Amino acid sequence: MAARRNHPYRHRGVHIPFVDAGPNNQWSLNDSIQADGFIFCTEFKKNLYLVQSVRTGDLYVNKILERDEDGNLNDEVEELRISTAPHAKGRLIGPQLVRQMWRTYFNELELWQNIADGTSSLYLRFYNGGDLEQLTEHYMEKKRPVPEHFVWHVFLTLIEAVRYLQTGALPGTDDEVANWIPIYNRDIAGNNLFIHYPERNNLEPEPPEGFQTNAFPEVVLGDFGHGALRGDRPEGIAGGRFNEFESAESWHDTYAIFCVIQEMCIAHVPYSVYLGSPGNVECSTINDHIAPGETPYSEDLINTLKLWEFPNRDRLMINESQPDQNGQLVHNSTLVPDLRRIIDEILPLARRMVRKYRRPGGVMPDDWYRQLDVSWTRPKRPMPAAGGNGNSSDENGDSRDHDGDKNGEGGNQQSSDNQEDDSDSIKKDGGDAGEDGDAGGNGDAGEDEDEEEDEEEEEDSGDFVEPPAPVIHKCPEPNPETNRTKLDGLVRLSNEFPDFRPEYRLVILEYQAPVMLDIRSIPPPPGPNVPESPPPTPPRTQRGRGRGRGGRGGGGRGGRAGRGVRGGVSKRASPSALEKRNLPRAGRFEGSYPA
């Protein structure tokens, strides 16, 4: 019998079944997301997991929001109240067609479930480029400046995102909405800004100039856990980035934009200069620390940053006050650009600068976007976790069969082919070392004390010592304790919420033939200077085409329903009827989410 030509790769994985909570305790953008449950990838920290939809292949960050430390119930979960969900009070827009490219401005909530009184389970889209803080750290490690085109790209994205939150104007437009109820994120920071690179077919050839989206990836604002709407009760407002409890002000977000941009622009500055406080670095000195051969930042960027440098910024915080020239005490937030000035002066400049880099005037160099490429900072693609073998115990000491449910029933669903593959390729954990020798494969099983005695004898005798036999490499067997530990969070959830977080089970995951891709590296210096201006493109209006898609939280007439491949290991399923329908206008809903 001839052998098969393809050789699929297999390993044990962890399947998390999904239990429907009913229409009053659950909302989903697309029922296919949870139809067959999820594959467990990793646990970032307590109550924060990365999972993959079995049906669609998309990756999601599963966030469990429980009672607070005092045991009080959450009256309203902020990340559900302010989200892309259609019944959110503070409605966030989904992906928009802006400047001829689809852009995602806010983290997309696609599934919510009430798993207990006061505890919510949220499934938010995973973005594959890490966060802005991680990207900046990569440049810090290389002692290289973050490229100016990307700084302006983030600058423009944040201005348009905050403008939408506070005025209702869709990105790429100047149409602010009358009687709009402002929304505030209040925690805009590098670790809450996620980077995403659109997935491509691996066979798609890279054009000579490079991929534009590798130079201008999506920048997504997430984490509205400290968010607020105008009119919220002061006692329910969290501290936010600047520890401003019981108040929600416009400057909480507008000044945070400057903080994010400045942190990017000082990535190359030695730590000894600013000692962890960006306020110690005057914006006029940023170029002084750029190494020879690197391209300095433009005067347009430096002068724009200087607008936020209020007096005594090296020793005063933005939420403090100081006397003005007349001796009157003024709040420092009044000394920096407010939203209206940002919209009138800085937004047009940011649009022009991004347009120059995206579509340079004259003849575009053959490797233009390769010179601007920032995708070398992209993290490794997440993979499903490899499940353990044998039985483990939960926190209460109850043993269970990992190949089935708690009673060991109905869990052995693999085909005979899978069972045979499993027995051949994965050895049981916890086996005796004597069966195959120790982990080193040299056959010695002696204790450390014996080894020390042997060394002493060798030192005392001046005789020739025969070199040890070559060690045959043997991959270490999986540690059963490690396998159990990484699943402790799942065990805890199934213990606390057995009705909606059932026991996980082990399954066989199969992968087809691998595809080899080139590893990207940081473009060499110098980076390109600011190019000439292309022909101007006037801002569109809300009545123009491409207002957004009726689905994934984005509503609007004239939008597309499909999204293609996003963040997951495999392609996304075809858009459902729910994704294709037109959702209501982005903004505040007078209704409420399911409770």
Side-chain angles (χ1 to χ4, degrees):
M1 180 178 177
R4 290 182 298 178
R5 298 185 64 181
N6 62 333
H7 181 79
Y9 293 85
R10 295 170 178 164
H11 70 76
R12 285 177 180 255
V14 179
H15 176 247
I16 307 172
F18 186 89
V19 178
D20 194 282
N24 293 328
N25 290 291
Q26 181 176 312
W27 169 81
S28 175
L29 178 66
N30 180 354
D31 289 339
S32 295
I33 296 172
Q34 72 273 15
D36 298 324
F38 298 89
I39 296 297
F40 173 71
C41 293
T42 190
E43 179 178 11
F44 295 119
K45 60 182 180 180
K46 182 180 178 181
N47 288 341
L48 194 65
Y49 308 91
L50 180 63
V51 298
Q52 182 182 22
S53 168
V54 174
R55 177 74 63 87
T56 70
D58 289 332
L59 291 173
Y60 292 93
V61 175
N62 179 212
K63 181 178 289 190
I64 308 297
L65 300 177
E66 299 186 87
R67 300 169 185 258
D68 63 24
E69 296 178 354
D70 298 326
N72 299 320
L73 299 178
N74 296 317
D75 293 334
E76 291 182 296
V77 179
E78 294 302 332
E79 290 183 86
L80 182 59
R81 192 173 74 107
I82 303 174
S83 70
T84 58
H87 294 91
K89 291 185 177 179
R91 177 72 183 283
L92 305 179
I93 52 173
Q96 303 284 303
L97 184 60
V98 181
R99 294 177 285 276
Q100 294 83 48
M101 298 183 71
W102 284 106
R103 291 293 178 190
T104 303
Y105 285 83
F106 304 105
N107 204 353
E108 302 158 272
L109 174 65
E110 299 202 354
L111 173 61
W112 164 80
Q113 190 178 47
N114 179 21
I115 60 177
D117 190 15
T119 299
S120 292
S121 177
L122 278 62
Y123 291 81
L124 300 149
R125 270 206 168 268
F126 171 77
Y127 301 104
N128 59 25
D131 60 45
L132 186 62
E133 183 177 74
Q134 294 170 334
L135 181 146
T136 304
E137 288 174 352
H138 280 292
Y139 282 93
M140 292 174 65
E141 293 169 358
K142 300 283 187 182
K143 298 181 174 58
R144 298 279 304 276
V146 176
E148 179 163 349
H149 80 279
F150 187 72
V151 174
W152 282 113
H153 174 55
V154 175
F155 213 158
L156 176 58
T157 301
L158 285 178
I159 292 174
E160 292 187 324
V162 170
R163 186 189 191 186
Y164 168 78
L165 292 176
Q166 298 192 20
T167 72
L170 292 177
T173 77
D174 289 324
D175 299 332
E176 299 180 3
V177 178
N179 301 319
W180 179 265
I181 298 177
I183 305 169
Y184 307 103
N185 177 279
R186 306 183 66 255
D187 197 18
I188 297 176
N191 60 353
N192 288 332
L193 289 162
F194 309 112
I195 310 299
H196 186 78
Y197 300 90
E199 299 288 348
R200 301 184 186 88
N201 188 322
N202 290 328
L203 301 178
E204 179 183 353
E206 184 170 1
E209 68 273 14
F211 290 116
Q212 184 177 165
T213 52
N214 282 350
F216 297 92
E218 292 182 282
V219 180
V220 183
L221 176 59
D223 197 347
F224 281 77
H226 287 223
L229 282 75
R230 178 177 292 177
D232 282 351
R233 295 174 301 159
E235 60 270 20
I237 299 177
R241 173 165 183 157
F242 303 108
N243 292 320
E244 287 286 300
F245 292 90
E246 300 187 355
S247 69
E249 304 291 340
S250 175
W251 68 263
H252 293 168
D253 286 346
T254 55
Y255 187 73
I257 293 176
F258 161 75
C259 295
V260 168
I261 300 303
Q262 191 200 22
E263 288 163 4
M264 294 174 64
C265 290
I266 64 172
H268 61 285
V269 177
Y271 182 83
S272 58
V273 173
Y274 67 94
L275 301 175
S277 177
N280 292 333
V281 181
E282 293 185 11
C283 294
S284 60
T285 67
I286 288 177
N287 280 336
D288 297 344
H289 302 279
I290 292 181
E294 296 279 8
T295 303
Y297 291 121
S298 67
E299 291 186 5
D300 284 324
L301 180 57
I302 297 299
N303 290 336
T304 300
L305 294 178
K306 289 165 64 176
L307 297 175
W308 272 276
E309 290 186 312
F310 57 86
N312 304 310
R313 178 171 169 264
D314 58 334
R315 58 185 180 85
L316 293 178
M317 304 295 291
I318 184 64
N319 54 2
E320 295 180 306
S321 300
Q322 59 180 309
D324 62 10
Q325 296 177 347
N326 299 321
Q328 300 293 323
L329 201 62
V330 296
H331 197 271
N332 287 334
S333 65
T334 65
L335 305 178
V336 298
D338 59 8
L339 179 63
R340 183 49 51 193
R341 185 178 180 185
I342 293 173
I343 292 172
D344 293 342
E345 298 180 17
I346 303 173
L347 176 58
L349 173 61
R351 283 174 172 166
R352 289 196 302 271
M353 298 301 289
V354 170
R355 188 166 60 246
K356 286 181 178 182
Y357 281 104
R358 280 193 55 206
R359 297 190 297 114
V363 179
M364 178 184 293
D366 288 342
D367 60 347
W368 178 249
Y369 295 122
R370 294 176 187 268
Q371 296 181 54
L372 307 180
D373 197 324
V374 297
S375 67
W376 66 275
T377 65
R378 179 174 174 175
K380 293 188 298 183
R381 180 185 293 269
M383 295 292 292
N389 297 292
N391 296 336
S392 69
S393 301
D394 60 21
E395 295 175 346
N396 297 322
D398 297 330
S399 63
R400 59 181 177 173
D401 184 351
H402 283 205
D403 287 324
D405 58 16
K406 201 162 189 174
N407 299 319
E409 299 174 355
N412 191 7
Q413 299 178 1
Q414 293 98 356
S415 66
S416 59
D417 179 60
N418 285 347
Q419 291 171 345
E420 181 179 355
D421 180 87
D422 180 42
S423 62
D424 289 341
S425 62
I426 302 180
K427 295 184 178 181
K428 293 293 183 182
D429 291 340
D432 294 333
E435 295 178 2
D436 297 308
D438 70 344
N442 58 12
D444 294 333
E447 300 292 339
D448 293 339
E449 295 177 358
D450 296 334
E451 294 176 357
E452 292 176 0
E453 292 176 0
D454 293 341
E455 291 175 359
E456 292 176 359
E457 292 177 0
E458 292 171 4
E459 290 177 0
D460 293 339
S461 65
D463 300 333
F464 171 76
V465 179
E466 183 178 354
V471 177
I472 300 175
H473 173 73
K474 178 181 178 183
C475 293
E477 296 183 359
N479 186 332
E481 193 63 33
T482 301
N483 284 336
R484 294 186 186 121
T485 300
K486 70 183 180 183
L487 301 178
D488 281 350
L490 301 183
V491 174
R492 181 181 60 83
L493 289 178
S494 62
N495 288 337
E496 294 182 8
F497 312 106
D499 292 338
F500 298 109
R501 292 304 291 253
E503 300 266 354
Y504 66 82
R505 67 190 186 101
L506 294 188
V507 295
I508 294 295
L509 301 178
E510 181 175 298
Y511 306 86
Q512 296 303 316
V515 176
M516 293 186 295
L517 303 174
D518 292 334
I519 298 176
R520 294 185 178 273
S521 58
I522 183 171
N529 293 312
V530 179
E532 298 178 3
S533 298
T537 302
R540 61 184 175 86
T541 66
Q542 292 181 351
R543 292 176 295 279
R545 294 183 299 172
R547 281 190 56 196
R549 285 161 292 175
R552 300 182 54 193
R557 295 183 295 275
R560 296 189 302 183
R563 181 63 173 168
V565 182
R566 285 291 309 268
V569 174
S570 59
K571 288 187 177 181
R572 181 174 178 169
S574 299
S576 66
L578 177 60
E579 289 181 289
K580 292 179 180 177
R581 75 182 184 184
N582 288 325
L583 295 179
R585 166 73 172 87
R588 174 169 177 170
F589 270 56
E590 294 303 326
S592 61
Y593 55 84

